Amino acid sequence: MVATQAIDQKQLGVFISYSRKDVDFAQKIVAALEARGLTPRIDTRDLPKLEDWRRELLGFIREADAVVFIVSPNSILSPVCAWEVEQVAALNKRLAPIVLERVSDDRIPEAIARINYLFFDKADDFDARVDELAHALQTDLVWLKEHTRVGELARRWDERNRPGGLTLRGQELQSVEHWIASRPRGAPEPTALHKSFVAESRRAATRRLRLTVAASLAVGVLALGLAAFAVTQRQLAEASRSNAVRTLATSDFRQGTSLLENNDTTSEGMALLSRSVREGQDKRALARLWTLLQQRRFWLPAQPDGTAAVAAGPVQSDAIPDAIKKRYKSVTVNGASAQVKFISVSGDGKRIFTAIGDNVEATDAQYRIWRSDGTPVTPWIKPPYNGTSYVASLRGYLSLDGNLLALDVTGWRETAYLQIIDLKTNQQIGSDVRATGRLPNSQNVQFSRVQFLPEPAHAGADSSMLLFTVSEKGDAVIFRVDPSGIDMIAKSEHAAPIVFAELDAAHEWLMTSSSDGILRVTRLAGGAGGELIGNVLHLASVATSIKRVGNDRIVVTLGPGNSPFFALSSVVKMPLAGPVVSEQASTGCKRWDDGVVYAMDAPADGKLRTSKGELSRPGPRQLAVVREGGQVAVSPVFSNEVILVCLGEGGDSLAVTTSDFVTEVWTTDFSRRLGLPIVERRLFGQGTTPQSTKRVFVPRDNRRALIASSLWDPPNVDLQWYSLWDLETGLPLMDRTLFENTMGDDEVERAMIDPDAKYVAFTGHSNKRFVALASLDLTPPETVSGWLPDLVEALGGLAINNEGAFEPVPDRPGKIRQGFENIRQFAPGVDPGSRPGPPSGRSEAGPVPNITPSPVPPVARVQPDPRPIAASQPPASSYDPVGTVRAFYLALSRADGDLAQTFVIPEKRGSGPFNPTSIRQFYSNLPSPMETLSVELASNDVVNVKYRFVRPNGSECRGNAAVTTTFSGGKTLIRGIAANC
């Protein structure tokens, strides 16, 4: 609850939510946080009226930057604390639960349960725990303060009926847009009100720009009638108009690119980028659309191909036999008759669920399970309820075999939740499942569908079931349920009520539609909430049925006699572009990792030299370039530790990356930053966060940056993500793409932009040669800007009308056909509407990227060098594959990462499984040193190794590895390893 002092604008304001019974501990926390430079607020007053304390406390929560919730049996039972947590969740404030006294997990609200706790139930480590708490609260301090400031501006705008005069303008608008786009990992998301406020501010700014364009045109017309000033005024009018058009095009590029990062707003983003190309000739927007059409797949109008629609899987009927309805119309409870409010039957018909309860008649909500012969399985049970009122609705849904129960509980004016109960043990499985969604309704929100389905044997364990739920708030969710817990494996979110939701027969696709004409297809994927297949479809009318047809088609029912087909297809497939690239990068990098300095592709002495002098790092957050004569150019102090510096291709720029995945490009004397900071983590998602940035490649024109980041998945998989960025705006120009590298052949090892910045080449070894394995074209033919926007709008289904509003594209199939014809006519060598083969990488924005694999012949406008890079042939006496490999594995057994990397080719040192820090951490944590069982020469360049180690969890690995070697720089070195564990 809250304090009386004002929050210092430079300090973090912290609201303390607690039960009055725990006030002594709360006051102790306040004093400890104040001693560490924070400004906590705690309310110890008695506010007599409900409206008084709610109004005041809500103001305190709004003004706070973060909230500490003291977990105890007292606070969990407190209606006031529960209300405070709801407000914190609605405002998306940072929430830090600290445990004074432990409470069972099933009693803790969902908003708290999903956050890591700090435990204060041991008095002897109080100060250490407060240090952790203060550090956690102050992480991303500047971002949190802005969250609070913008939230207050948005609230004032909203409470005053959203007048245009209170919207953001100019530099402040750009600053806030960049703030939203650069949300740090783990920081609370901006609320819907934040986003609406910024979106309306941008729309207002766009309208003002359009008025400027119109006014400048009017000035131009007027100038024609003023002979004395005609030339001058016409030039001024044209200059004003050109500036306004450029500004508007840049604005569309910024907003459109950001919208592409969210599957639900991809169509809006495509429409904005199309307008930027059509009206402003923005080359960045054109490049972004061109990469989008190469990387993603879309649902395109199609003709029936004769394949029959696949029927849905087994469905449990909701129909209740009349005999059961009659038998359980009323029941006797404690000697009194009670009317049954809800009945359901298991799929095999052997068990019946009944629920009673009527608040008007003062009858508590209870349920009981029966056998089909009328004998009870359970006694009458009151459902667990932690709400602030009473259970208004109680329902239950049984699995096909009657062994699982989904108990559906809705409190009065509250949101429903499910408890999954194993009837064989009478124990709850996992945590409560709540009705979620984007719709704003929050009172008496229920599930419109709850159903158990059998999981196909190939998809999981025999004992697991699928739970299919549809919420009145707009979410359709599939969970996997087994005795160990509940996992969400697919989620389809809609901003309008769901009209249709169904699985295909194989239980691979979740197909949903809503009343606003939106259609989504989601692939079931364990633990990831599923992944969107293709794009979100914007239909002219509501889909009342969706059926899967074959592997990549659907048929949609829009009305009687109106059932169009859609096929999943790529749009543009480019031939492999570019000459064979050098195995050695043309520019060097230097990285600092856990106190160790690595030089990559730098001179033998490990020094990185720029055109202005030698680079050094005098402090963790600062760089310096020492010029001849001793003069020093010092960088500004960066926000976090500098971990990587790469020299630009032209030698006149430096890419500086800090530990929070932010990259800035500077001139080599640090006199000027080139563009905005690149916040790579804006593209991170669940399961896609790397360990660190591996390399940054800046081409000669200093307009773009190609960033590679990686994560080593022991023992032999290096996950590599690549993304391309526009420096002026700090925005991505491609979908972030993942490659998995197991150190074998035909796997991408690095990427670079060609000298003319026409394509990105993804390179690696194939048949002992270093070649381009895939490419992404960045320069569409000059003629496409005239017709590509029409095609892109048709693909997305939305365009922007003269009033600036999004509207459906008319004659979508005809415009797509015309667009494909234009590709064939005006873009020779481009394959429109092709079906991609096996992907070389995986796009973060969709399941199948369309990055061209190597077998496609080179594009005509780039003449590749057909000669591969040949490895130098070593003298027979100096080439010793077995000795090098034996020495490498001996270093691994000793957890000596620094020694181990010396046996590896230079370009792979310091990355993935050859990172010394990773080697030390992995092998030093083994209970006993790894044993090398045998090292044998398999062929001239391949050595087979057998080894054994025991993992920290006690499991054993008996591994086999094929180690590929090469001769480079007069030494035998390891080029790659393919291992089974």
Side-chain angles (χ1 to χ4, degrees):
M1 303 180 215
V2 212
T4 54
Q5 76 270 26
I7 290 180
D8 188 320
Q9 292 304 305
K10 295 183 179 179
Q11 295 178 323
L12 189 80
V14 182
F15 172 78
I16 310 295
S17 178
Y18 72 106
S19 166
R20 295 298 178 88
K21 297 178 181 179
D22 303 322
V23 65
D24 291 341
F25 177 76
Q27 294 281 23
K28 187 178 179 181
I29 288 291
V30 168
L33 292 178
E34 286 177 339
R36 287 160 175 80
L38 285 78
T39 306
R41 305 184 109 186
I42 178 170
D43 179 31
T44 57
R45 299 167 298 155
D46 290 320
L47 298 175
K49 296 181 181 179
L50 178 68
E51 59 270 21
D52 287 345
W53 67 256
R54 282 202 170 183
R55 182 174 58 252
E56 290 209 33
L57 292 184
L58 183 56
F60 295 144
I61 295 172
R62 284 171 173 165
E63 294 172 7
D65 303 308
V67 175
V68 170
F69 182 84
I70 299 177
V71 178
S72 73
N74 299 320
S75 63
I76 294 300
L77 293 175
S78 167
V80 177
C81 290
W83 178 85
E84 290 172 348
V85 170
E86 289 178 1
Q87 306 315 305
V88 172
L91 294 169
N92 281 7
K93 296 286 185 177
R94 169 167 284 168
L95 180 61
I98 63 174
V99 178
L100 169 61
E101 187 176 346
R102 304 202 181 202
V103 181
S104 60
D105 290 344
D106 59 351
R107 296 176 57 197
I108 295 186
E110 181 187 20
I112 299 173
R114 61 173 177 250
I115 305 172
N116 291 331
Y117 310 146
L118 280 174
F119 291 92
F120 282 75
D121 52 349
K122 294 181 180 179
D124 56 351
D125 59 358
F126 179 82
D127 288 336
R129 290 290 176 264
V130 174
D131 288 339
E132 292 181 47
L133 175 62
H135 176 74
L137 289 171
Q138 294 183 99
T139 302
D140 308 312
L141 171 62
V142 175
W143 203 92
L144 291 175
K145 298 292 290 184
E146 188 70 352
H147 189 285
T148 303
R149 185 186 76 85
V150 177
E152 284 298 288
L153 293 175
R155 182 178 64 84
R156 183 182 64 165
W157 168 74
D158 186 55
E159 290 179 349
R160 298 183 186 181
N161 296 320
R162 305 192 170 193
L166 292 181
T167 56
L168 302 168
R169 297 177 177 232
Q171 185 60 43
E172 185 178 29
L173 173 57
Q174 293 186 22
S175 175
V176 172
E177 286 177 328
H178 185 69
W179 167 77
I180 286 182
S182 59
R183 179 175 72 91
R185 178 181 42 170
E189 287 195 14
T191 64
L193 183 58
H194 277 99
K195 296 175 181 177
S196 296
F197 178 52
V198 176
E200 181 55 36
S201 298
R202 174 52 62 194
R203 282 193 288 269
T206 300
R207 286 193 294 268
R208 288 192 295 271
L209 279 169
R210 290 190 175 279
L211 289 174
T212 300
V213 173
S216 62
L217 288 173
V219 170
V221 171
L222 180 62
L224 293 174
L226 300 175
F229 302 100
V231 175
T232 302
Q233 293 301 314
R234 187 164 56 250
Q235 290 174 341
L236 290 174
E238 182 58 34
S240 176
R241 178 187 179 281
S242 297
N243 287 335
V245 168
R246 280 195 301 271
T247 302
L248 180 60
T250 298
S251 171
D252 282 348
F253 170 68
R254 289 176 183 275
Q255 190 176 2
T257 301
S258 296
L259 292 175
L260 288 185
E261 296 168 19
N262 185 331
N263 287 324
D264 294 313
T265 56
T266 293
S267 294
E268 289 85 348
M270 293 167 69
L272 284 163
L273 290 172
S274 296
R275 186 171 70 173
S276 179
V277 173
R278 181 186 291 116
E279 299 186 6
Q281 299 298 307
D282 193 294
K283 293 183 178 180
R284 298 163 303 184
L286 182 61
R288 183 65 189 101
L289 289 177
W290 195 241
T291 60
L292 181 82
L293 298 185
Q294 294 172 74
Q295 292 188 276
R296 299 196 192 181
R297 294 202 289 175
F298 296 84
W299 290 108
L300 303 180
Q303 297 297 320
D305 62 358
T307 305
V310 181
V315 176
Q316 180 175 342
S317 173
D318 294 330
I320 308 298
D322 290 339
I324 291 179
K325 288 182 182 179
K326 184 176 181 180
R327 173 185 289 180
Y328 295 102
K329 183 176 181 180
S330 63
V331 292
T332 300
V333 182
N334 297 327
S337 178
Q339 184 180 2
V340 173
K341 298 294 185 180
F342 186 84
I343 305 175
S344 66
V345 183
S346 63
D348 58 11
K350 295 181 179 180
R351 290 192 174 185
I352 297 99
F353 171 92
T354 58
I356 62 172
D358 192 321
N359 185 62
V360 175
E361 299 178 0
T363 304
D364 290 336
Q366 301 175 68
Y367 71 91
R368 193 173 203 176
I369 311 294
W370 310 78
R371 297 182 183 90
S372 57
D373 61 5
T375 58
V377 176
T378 69
W380 286 103
I381 301 172
K382 292 183 179 180
Y385 174 66
N386 297 322
T388 58
S389 187
Y390 61 89
V391 175
S393 172
L394 179 62
R395 303 177 181 181
Y397 305 88
L398 293 161
S399 61
L400 294 170
D401 58 7
N403 289 326
L404 294 176
L405 169 66
L407 191 63
D408 183 353
V409 183
T410 308
W412 172 246
R413 301 181 70 180
E414 295 173 349
T415 299
Y417 60 89
L418 298 175
Q419 292 186 333
I420 313 305
I421 299 171
D422 185 341
L423 294 176
K424 292 184 292 186
T425 63
N426 289 320
Q427 297 294 316
Q428 180 174 348
I429 299 175
S431 302
D432 293 352
V433 174
R434 297 193 175 272
T436 58
R438 300 177 184 172
L439 293 175
N441 50 314
S442 60
Q443 299 191 70
N444 299 321
V445 176
Q446 296 189 328
F447 290 95
S448 59
R449 178 175 179 178
V450 178
Q451 183 180 22
F452 284 105
L453 297 171
E455 183 170 20
H458 64 81
D462 293 338
S463 60
S464 65
M465 296 285 291
L466 297 182
L467 177 65
F468 194 157
T469 68
V470 179
S471 161
E472 291 179 351
K473 287 180 70 68
D475 282 357
V477 186
I478 307 295
F479 299 90
R480 178 179 290 118
V481 182
D482 60 38
S484 65
I486 304 173
D487 291 318
M488 181 173 65
I489 58 174
K491 184 177 184 179
S492 182
E493 300 175 283
H494 288 264
I498 290 178
V499 174
F500 177 87
E502 196 55 77
L503 289 174
D504 69 321
H507 289 176
E508 296 174 343
W509 290 7
L510 170 61
M511 301 168 289
T512 60
S513 66
S514 51
S515 61
D516 55 357
I518 297 298
L519 185 152
R520 301 169 60 96
V521 181
T522 306
R523 177 180 283 108
L524 277 60
E531 57 184 9
L532 185 71
I533 299 175
N535 59 309
V536 174
L537 274 172
H538 295 256
L539 302 173
S541 55
V542 178
T544 58
S545 173
I546 313 165
K547 295 181 180 179
R548 181 176 180 177
V549 182
N551 292 327
D552 56 4
R553 291 183 172 223
I554 55 175
V555 58
V556 180
T557 301
L558 300 178
N562 185 11
S563 298
F565 281 73
F566 295 88
L568 190 63
S569 177
S570 60
V571 178
V572 170
K573 191 175 182 69
M574 294 294 299
L576 183 68
V580 176
V581 293
S582 170
E583 185 168 1
Q584 186 78 4
S586 56
T587 58
C589 296
K590 199 167 187 177
R591 67 175 295 114
W592 292 261
D593 185 0
D594 196 22
V596 181
V597 182
Y598 305 102
M600 298 178 292
D601 302 319
D605 59 8
K607 296 180 179 180
L608 192 62
R609 295 180 176 84
T610 75
S611 59
K612 302 295 183 181
E614 181 185 330
L615 180 77
S616 66
R617 193 181 78 155
R621 296 167 55 197
Q622 196 166 35
L623 298 169
V625 170
V626 181
R627 305 175 182 174
E628 293 183 6
Q631 293 179 315
V632 179
V634 181
S635 76
V637 177
F638 295 96
S639 59
N640 283 280
E641 180 184 2
V642 174
I643 63 164
L644 176 69
V645 180
C646 291
L647 185 63
E649 181 78 7
D652 57 351
S653 62
L654 284 170
V656 181
T657 303
T658 51
S659 58
D660 57 346
F661 295 97
V662 175
T663 296
E664 301 180 20
V665 179
W666 288 79
T667 57
T668 50
D669 60 358
F670 298 109
S671 62
R672 183 167 59 95
R673 188 178 66 194
L674 305 177
L676 293 176
I678 295 170
V679 184
E680 189 188 359
R681 61 176 179 268
R682 65 182 288 170
L683 303 183
F684 296 171
Q686 183 179 356
T688 65
T689 300
Q691 285 176 319
S692 65
T693 303
K694 179 180 178 181
R695 183 183 297 274
V696 180
F697 185 91
V698 179
R700 290 189 179 93
D701 60 7
N702 291 325
R703 294 171 56 192
R704 297 169 177 171
L706 179 66
I707 297 181
S709 53
S710 65
L711 180 145
W712 180 38
D713 186 9
N716 69 317
V717 177
D718 190 21
L719 303 177
Q720 301 178 5
W721 288 270
Y722 295 96
S723 54
L724 180 68
W725 302 79
D726 173 61
L727 288 183
E728 181 183 354
T729 59
L731 294 173
L733 292 173
M734 64 174 279
D735 289 341
R736 182 171 179 246
T737 301
L738 169 65
F739 292 90
E740 294 184 4
N741 192 326
T742 60
M743 306 302 154
D745 266 10
D746 299 315
E747 295 180 333
V748 170
E749 300 171 21
R750 66 169 55 179
M752 59 190 69
I753 305 176
D754 79 296
D756 298 322
K758 291 183 177 180
Y759 59 87
V760 177
F762 300 90
T763 58
H765 285 84
S766 180
N767 295 323
K768 303 180 184 180
R769 299 167 177 173
F770 196 74
V771 297
L773 299 172
S775 66
L776 184 66
D777 193 84
L778 305 178
T779 53
E782 294 181 1
T783 57
V784 306
S785 60
W787 48 264
L788 190 66
D790 290 340
L791 171 61
V792 170
E793 289 171 343
L795 292 169
L798 291 180
I800 304 174
N801 61 24
N802 293 333
E803 285 72 40
F806 295 105
E807 63 181 13
V809 174
D811 188 23
R812 184 169 176 256
K815 291 185 176 179
I816 291 176
R817 284 194 298 270
Q818 182 60 52
F820 280 11
E821 182 58 36
N822 287 334
I823 291 178
R824 294 186 185 94
Q825 182 177 354
F826 298 109
V830 180
D831 181 12
S834 59
R835 305 290 174 85
S840 301
R842 187 166 69 249
S843 167
E844 299 294 336
V848 181
N850 190 21
I851 297 177
T852 308
S854 56
V856 181
V859 67
R861 60 179 169 79
V862 178
Q863 295 301 321
D865 181 354
R867 297 168 298 175
I869 298 174
S872 57
Q873 297 300 315
S877 59
S878 60
Y879 189 43
D880 184 13
V882 172
T884 296
V885 172
R886 183 177 284 115
F888 174 76
Y889 275 84
L890 178 62
L892 295 184
S893 68
R894 296 174 178 174
D896 190 341
D898 294 318
L899 176 61
Q901 73 161 348
T902 63
F903 300 110
V904 179
I905 57 177
E907 58 269 20
K908 290 188 177 180
R909 294 173 187 170
S911 64
F914 303 124
N915 181 292
T917 302
S918 299
I919 291 174
R920 283 197 301 273
Q921 291 174 346
F922 181 79
Y923 290 98
S924 63
N925 285 329
L926 299 179
S928 58
M930 179 183 70
E931 299 177 50
T932 304
L933 305 177
S934 66
V935 181
E936 299 177 354
L937 188 66
S939 64
N940 190 45
D941 299 317
V942 178
V943 177
N944 288 337
V945 182
K946 294 184 179 180
Y947 53 90
R948 173 190 174 277
F949 63 82
V950 178
R951 301 181 180 90
N953 64 5
S955 63
E956 184 184 44
C957 162
R958 285 191 170 270
N960 296 287
V963 183
T964 306
T965 60
T966 187
F967 190 78
S968 177
K971 298 179 180 179
T972 305
L973 298 174
I974 294 172
R975 184 163 59 82
I977 300 176
N980 65 336
C981 70

